[in-house]
Structure formats: C-alpha cells, structure tokens
Amino acid sequence: MTGVKKATSTDLDAIVAIENACFTDDRFSRRQLGYLITKAQGACFIISRNNSVKAYISVIYKNNTSNLRIYSIAVLPEARGRGFGQMLIDKSKTFAREQHCSKITLEVKTTNAGALALYKKNGFQINGIIPNYYHDGTAAYHMILNLK
Ligand SMILES: CC(C)(COP(=O)(O)OP(=O)(O)OC[C@H]1O[C@@H](n2cnc3c(N)ncnc32)[C@H](O)[C@@H]1OP(=O)(O)O)[C@@H](O)C(=O)NCCC(=O)NCCS
C-alpha cells in the first residue's frame, strides 16, 4: 500500500538510508535529519511501499512568515519515475495551506534537470540564482511557488 504519512523517529534509519543513496557532498547528517523529524518547525513526510520507506520530504517554516521552505526531497533511485516525487510536492502544498503559508520556496542545483522539471511542472518559478551555493561550487536556483 502506497501513501504519504508524517515521519516519526522510528523512520530515521530509513530516511538516513534514502539521504545517503540520493546525495553525496551536500547531505544531511543523521543528527540533522533527526532534528528535522522531531524538533524543527515543520514536518517530514514519507512514502512507504511494501512496508519500506521509499521517499521523504522535509519542509520548514518560521513563525510570522508566510513562507514554507522545501528543505529536502528525495526518492530512492529504484523508486523514481513512479509519481512519488509528485505526491510529496502535493503534500507540501496541502501542508503549506494548512499552515496558512502563501508561498513555497526551495533551492535546487542549476544542473539538477530532473528536480527542476518536477518543480517547473508544479508552477515553481526561478526567482534568482545563488552562486557557489553547493560544496562543489555549483549555483542554486531560488524558486518560488505562489499559492494565492
Ligand atoms: C527529483 C526527484 C525527487 C523526482 O522524484 P520522482 O519520484 O522520480 O518524480 P515523479 O515520478 O513524481 O515525477 C514527476 C514529474 O517530475 C518530472 N521529472 C522527475 N524526474 C525527472 C527526470 N529525471 N527528468 C525529467 N523530468 C523529471 C517529470 O515532469 C515528471 O512527470 P512525468 O512523469 O509526467 O513526466 C528524484 O529524482 C530524486 O530523488 N532525485 C535525487 C534527489 C534530488 O535531486 N532531490 C532534489 C533536491 S533539490
């Protein structure tokens, strides 16, 4: 059964495994991921199939701002191309509206064609470029989706 649900600390091992399978230099540590699941102002959502976690998204927001930030999104390589990324973006939109946020922002590597295609398909627009954002010197696009 496939579905999106809120992650808890019991999902930490699986989320760490996804993070390590999907990113190299710029990845969150186990400690950071634990914080994002349990303490950060925001939420982590996961998608499981056959009792195994295949994908996660972390979103955060600050008090008194109208902005939800997608902090990380990753789908295990073998589970890509099946709509899981889209389901997580849909969840972030629902969550943003529940938190009364009027926009969603994110940063993405300018070279990450797959992720860029996912975001553009969902209406995100490039709002600026941040040089040297990643450890390897690659720039990031700052992207915004207005929900109003
Ligand atoms: C980006 C990522 C989350 C997409 O997840 P996914 O489950 O494969 O995406 P979906 O199957 O839901 O695809 C939805 C849409 O996104 C776009 N898309 C996703 N992957 C794509 C790719 N590799 N190339 C082109 N378009 C792509 C397509 O428009 C697709 O719609 P379509 O299938 O109707 O063409 C996944 O590739 C991933 O985890 N990558 C590594 C981690 C990463 O780069 N995260 C983003 C950091 S900013």
Side-chain angles (χ1 to χ4, degrees), residues 22-23 73-75 79-86 107-108 112 114-115 117-119 121:
C22 294
F23 300 104
I73 176 171
V75 178
R80 290 180 194 161
R82 297 181 199 167
F84 292 166
Q86 183 61 55
E107 284 78 35
V108 57
N112 192 341
L118 173 66
Y119 302 142
K121 185 178 184 182

Short mmCIF file of all heavy atoms in Angstrom, two decimals, residues 22-23 73-75 79-86 107-108 112 114-115 117-119 121, ligand 1:
data_model
loop_
_atom_site.label_atom_id
_atom_site.label_comp_id
_atom_site.label_asym_id
_atom_site.label_seq_id
_atom_site.Cartn_x
_atom_site.Cartn_y
_atom_site.Cartn_z
N CYS A 22 20.87 9.15 -2.15
CA CYS A 22 20.48 10.19 -3.12
C CYS A 22 21.45 11.36 -3.22
O CYS A 22 21.45 12.06 -4.22
CB CYS A 22 19.10 10.73 -2.76
SG CYS A 22 17.79 9.51 -2.97
N PHE A 23 22.23 11.61 -2.17
CA PHE A 23 23.10 12.78 -2.18
C PHE A 23 24.52 12.37 -1.80
O PHE A 23 24.72 11.37 -1.10
CB PHE A 23 22.61 13.84 -1.19
CG PHE A 23 21.22 14.35 -1.49
CD1 PHE A 23 20.14 13.93 -0.73
CD2 PHE A 23 20.99 15.25 -2.52
CE1 PHE A 23 18.84 14.39 -0.99
CE2 PHE A 23 19.70 15.72 -2.79
CZ PHE A 23 18.64 15.29 -2.03
N ILE A 73 14.07 16.90 -0.57
CA ILE A 73 13.14 15.91 -1.11
C ILE A 73 13.99 14.86 -1.82
O ILE A 73 14.92 15.21 -2.56
CB ILE A 73 12.10 16.54 -2.06
CG1 ILE A 73 11.20 15.47 -2.70
CG2 ILE A 73 12.72 17.41 -3.11
CD1 ILE A 73 10.00 16.02 -3.48
N ALA A 74 13.69 13.60 -1.57
CA ALA A 74 14.48 12.54 -2.20
C ALA A 74 13.67 11.26 -2.32
O ALA A 74 12.93 10.89 -1.40
CB ALA A 74 15.76 12.28 -1.39
N VAL A 75 13.85 10.62 -3.47
CA VAL A 75 13.20 9.33 -3.75
C VAL A 75 14.32 8.33 -4.03
O VAL A 75 15.25 8.65 -4.80
CB VAL A 75 12.28 9.46 -4.98
CG1 VAL A 75 11.63 8.11 -5.30
CG2 VAL A 75 11.23 10.54 -4.77
N ALA A 79 13.09 3.72 -6.99
CA ALA A 79 11.65 4.02 -6.87
C ALA A 79 11.25 5.27 -7.66
O ALA A 79 10.12 5.73 -7.57
CB ALA A 79 11.29 4.19 -5.40
N ARG A 80 12.19 5.82 -8.45
CA ARG A 80 11.89 7.06 -9.18
C ARG A 80 11.03 6.79 -10.40
O ARG A 80 10.95 5.67 -10.89
CB ARG A 80 13.20 7.74 -9.60
CG ARG A 80 13.92 8.30 -8.39
CD ARG A 80 15.23 8.99 -8.75
NE ARG A 80 15.98 9.19 -7.50
CZ ARG A 80 17.28 9.42 -7.42
NH1 ARG A 80 17.99 9.51 -8.52
NH2 ARG A 80 17.86 9.55 -6.24
N GLY A 81 10.41 7.87 -10.88
CA GLY A 81 9.61 7.77 -12.09
C GLY A 81 8.24 7.14 -11.89
O GLY A 81 7.58 6.76 -12.84
N ARG A 82 7.81 7.02 -10.63
CA ARG A 82 6.50 6.41 -10.34
C ARG A 82 5.55 7.39 -9.66
O ARG A 82 4.56 6.98 -9.04
CB ARG A 82 6.67 5.22 -9.41
CG ARG A 82 7.49 4.12 -10.01
CD ARG A 82 7.57 2.97 -9.01
NE ARG A 82 8.69 2.10 -9.34
CZ ARG A 82 9.18 1.18 -8.53
NH1 ARG A 82 8.64 1.00 -7.33
NH2 ARG A 82 10.18 0.43 -8.90
N GLY A 83 5.91 8.66 -9.68
CA GLY A 83 4.99 9.65 -9.12
C GLY A 83 5.19 9.96 -7.64
O GLY A 83 4.44 10.76 -7.07
N PHE A 84 6.21 9.36 -7.01
CA PHE A 84 6.40 9.62 -5.57
C PHE A 84 6.82 11.07 -5.31
O PHE A 84 6.35 11.72 -4.37
CB PHE A 84 7.43 8.67 -4.97
CG PHE A 84 6.99 7.23 -4.93
CD1 PHE A 84 7.91 6.22 -4.68
CD2 PHE A 84 5.67 6.86 -5.12
CE1 PHE A 84 7.52 4.88 -4.63
CE2 PHE A 84 5.27 5.54 -5.07
CZ PHE A 84 6.20 4.54 -4.83
N GLY A 85 7.73 11.58 -6.17
CA GLY A 85 8.15 12.98 -6.02
C GLY A 85 6.94 13.91 -6.12
O GLY A 85 6.78 14.83 -5.32
N GLN A 86 6.09 13.64 -7.09
CA GLN A 86 4.88 14.45 -7.28
C GLN A 86 3.97 14.38 -6.05
O GLN A 86 3.44 15.40 -5.60
CB GLN A 86 4.12 13.98 -8.51
CG GLN A 86 2.90 14.82 -8.82
CD GLN A 86 3.24 16.27 -9.09
OE1 GLN A 86 4.05 16.57 -9.96
NE2 GLN A 86 2.63 17.19 -8.35
N GLU A 107 15.59 25.72 -2.86
CA GLU A 107 16.81 25.90 -3.65
C GLU A 107 17.09 24.59 -4.36
O GLU A 107 16.89 23.52 -3.79
CB GLU A 107 18.02 26.24 -2.75
CG GLU A 107 18.03 27.67 -2.24
CD GLU A 107 17.06 27.89 -1.09
OE1 GLU A 107 16.90 26.95 -0.28
OE2 GLU A 107 16.46 28.96 -1.01
N VAL A 108 17.57 24.69 -5.59
CA VAL A 108 17.88 23.49 -6.37
C VAL A 108 19.13 23.76 -7.19
O VAL A 108 19.33 24.88 -7.68
CB VAL A 108 16.68 23.08 -7.25
CG1 VAL A 108 16.25 24.19 -8.19
CG2 VAL A 108 16.96 21.80 -8.03
N ASN A 112 20.48 20.21 -11.84
CA ASN A 112 19.60 19.09 -11.47
C ASN A 112 18.33 19.10 -12.35
O ASN A 112 17.26 19.55 -11.94
CB ASN A 112 19.25 19.18 -9.98
CG ASN A 112 18.59 17.92 -9.45
OD1 ASN A 112 18.09 17.10 -10.23
ND2 ASN A 112 18.58 17.76 -8.14
N GLY A 114 16.24 16.83 -13.49
CA GLY A 114 15.05 16.09 -13.07
C GLY A 114 14.24 16.87 -12.04
O GLY A 114 13.02 17.03 -12.17
N ALA A 115 14.94 17.36 -11.01
CA ALA A 115 14.25 18.11 -9.95
C ALA A 115 13.66 19.41 -10.52
O ALA A 115 12.52 19.77 -10.21
CB ALA A 115 15.20 18.40 -8.80
N ALA A 117 12.64 19.97 -13.50
CA ALA A 117 11.44 19.65 -14.29
C ALA A 117 10.25 19.42 -13.36
O ALA A 117 9.13 19.87 -13.64
CB ALA A 117 11.71 18.41 -15.14
N LEU A 118 10.48 18.72 -12.26
CA LEU A 118 9.41 18.47 -11.28
C LEU A 118 8.86 19.80 -10.74
O LEU A 118 7.64 20.01 -10.66
CB LEU A 118 9.94 17.59 -10.14
CG LEU A 118 9.02 17.36 -8.95
CD1 LEU A 118 7.78 16.56 -9.35
CD2 LEU A 118 9.76 16.63 -7.82
N TYR A 119 9.76 20.70 -10.37
CA TYR A 119 9.32 21.96 -9.77
C TYR A 119 8.59 22.85 -10.80
O TYR A 119 7.56 23.45 -10.50
CB TYR A 119 10.51 22.72 -9.17
CG TYR A 119 11.25 21.92 -8.12
CD1 TYR A 119 12.64 21.98 -8.01
CD2 TYR A 119 10.58 21.09 -7.23
CE1 TYR A 119 13.33 21.26 -7.07
CE2 TYR A 119 11.27 20.35 -6.27
CZ TYR A 119 12.64 20.44 -6.21
OH TYR A 119 13.32 19.71 -5.26
N LYS A 121 7.02 21.89 -13.44
CA LYS A 121 5.71 21.29 -13.73
C LYS A 121 4.68 21.69 -12.68
O LYS A 121 3.49 21.79 -12.95
CB LYS A 121 5.88 19.76 -13.74
CG LYS A 121 4.64 19.01 -14.15
CD LYS A 121 4.90 17.52 -14.17
CE LYS A 121 3.67 16.80 -14.68
NZ LYS A 121 3.86 15.34 -14.69
C1 LIG B 1 13.78 14.76 -8.23
C2 LIG B 1 13.10 13.52 -7.64
C3 LIG B 1 12.64 13.82 -6.23
C4 LIG B 1 11.88 13.16 -8.53
O1 LIG B 1 11.20 12.07 -7.94
P1 LIG B 1 10.33 11.02 -8.80
O2 LIG B 1 9.54 10.22 -7.86
O3 LIG B 1 11.22 10.29 -9.73
O4 LIG B 1 9.41 12.02 -9.65
P2 LIG B 1 7.96 11.69 -10.26
O5 LIG B 1 7.95 10.29 -10.79
O6 LIG B 1 6.91 12.05 -9.27
O7 LIG B 1 7.93 12.71 -11.48
C5 LIG B 1 7.00 13.79 -11.54
C6 LIG B 1 7.42 14.72 -12.67
O8 LIG B 1 8.71 15.31 -12.39
C7 LIG B 1 9.46 15.42 -13.63
N1 LIG B 1 10.66 14.58 -13.51
C8 LIG B 1 11.00 13.80 -12.46
N2 LIG B 1 12.20 13.20 -12.69
C9 LIG B 1 12.60 13.64 -13.91
C10 LIG B 1 13.76 13.39 -14.70
N3 LIG B 1 14.75 12.60 -14.25
N4 LIG B 1 13.85 14.00 -15.89
C11 LIG B 1 12.90 14.83 -16.34
N5 LIG B 1 11.76 15.10 -15.65
C12 LIG B 1 11.63 14.51 -14.44
C13 LIG B 1 8.54 14.98 -14.73
O9 LIG B 1 7.85 16.13 -15.19
C14 LIG B 1 7.58 14.06 -14.00
O10 LIG B 1 6.33 14.00 -14.61
P3 LIG B 1 6.04 12.91 -15.77
O11 LIG B 1 6.41 11.58 -15.19
O12 LIG B 1 4.59 13.09 -16.03
O13 LIG B 1 6.93 13.27 -16.91
C15 LIG B 1 14.07 12.31 -7.68
O14 LIG B 1 14.64 12.17 -8.97
C16 LIG B 1 15.19 12.36 -6.68
O15 LIG B 1 15.03 11.97 -5.52
N6 LIG B 1 16.38 12.84 -7.10
C17 LIG B 1 17.56 12.84 -6.23
C18 LIG B 1 17.42 13.81 -5.09
C19 LIG B 1 17.22 15.23 -5.58
O16 LIG B 1 17.84 15.66 -6.54
N7 LIG B 1 16.35 15.96 -4.87
C20 LIG B 1 16.04 17.33 -5.19
C21 LIG B 1 16.97 18.23 -4.48
S1 LIG B 1 16.54 19.94 -4.77
#
